[in-house]
Amino acid sequence: MISEEVPSISIILNERRSKSLKGFISSKKNIKGNFYTHRPTRENPTSWSFENGENKLNGEAVLLKDGEIWHPYQTKIKSHEVNMVLFSGLSSKLSKITNNTDLLKASSGFFKIGSGCYGGRINKV
């Protein structure tokens, strides 16, 4: 996923886990910490979490297709069609542990979901 605000900031998800995808936040090839996306359940919405040393942050993720919100209880948008995500609260929580303005600006906006993802799954290359 690439930030729409700061294209040099990206989130690379490269490991499939039982209930999440694991990767990292990267800024100009420098890894900032582990990043996870978690699929929704009946009890919890789609979410994200971030780990960097002893810092552990988490929040909700809002998935969209061309500006329209996707959620598991609607039938208009298929999960594999989502192409954007907003990580709610990520920027404000990161601001407590970093002053990196590019990272804070990127994390406050939308990320484009690349072709390597398919409805929250990692496509096999």
Side-chain angles (χ1 to χ4, degrees), residues 14-73:
N14 56 4
E15 182 183 330
R16 185 178 304 159
R17 304 177 122 203
S18 63
K19 295 183 182 179
S20 67
L21 298 177
K22 179 184 177 186
F24 54 90
I25 295 179
S26 174
S27 171
K28 298 176 185 168
K29 307 279 183 186
N30 295 320
I31 295 174
K32 301 298 181 187
N34 290 328
F35 195 83
Y36 303 84
T37 58
H38 310 275
R39 62 181 170 191
T41 64
R42 289 192 182 271
E43 298 82 27
N44 297 308
T46 305
S47 62
W48 60 268
S49 58
F50 173 80
E51 296 175 351
N52 181 343
E54 293 185 18
N55 299 303
K56 294 182 181 179
L57 312 172
N58 58 54
E60 284 188 37
V62 180
L63 297 165
L64 302 103
K65 177 194 175 202
D66 302 327
E68 288 190 53
I69 296 175
W70 173 90
H71 61 83
Y73 302 106

Side-chain angles (χ1 to χ4, degrees), residues 11 31 38 40 42 52 98 102 108 119 122:
I11 297 173
I31 295 174
H38 310 275
R42 289 192 182 271
N52 181 343
T98 185
D102 282 344
S108 67
I122 300 171

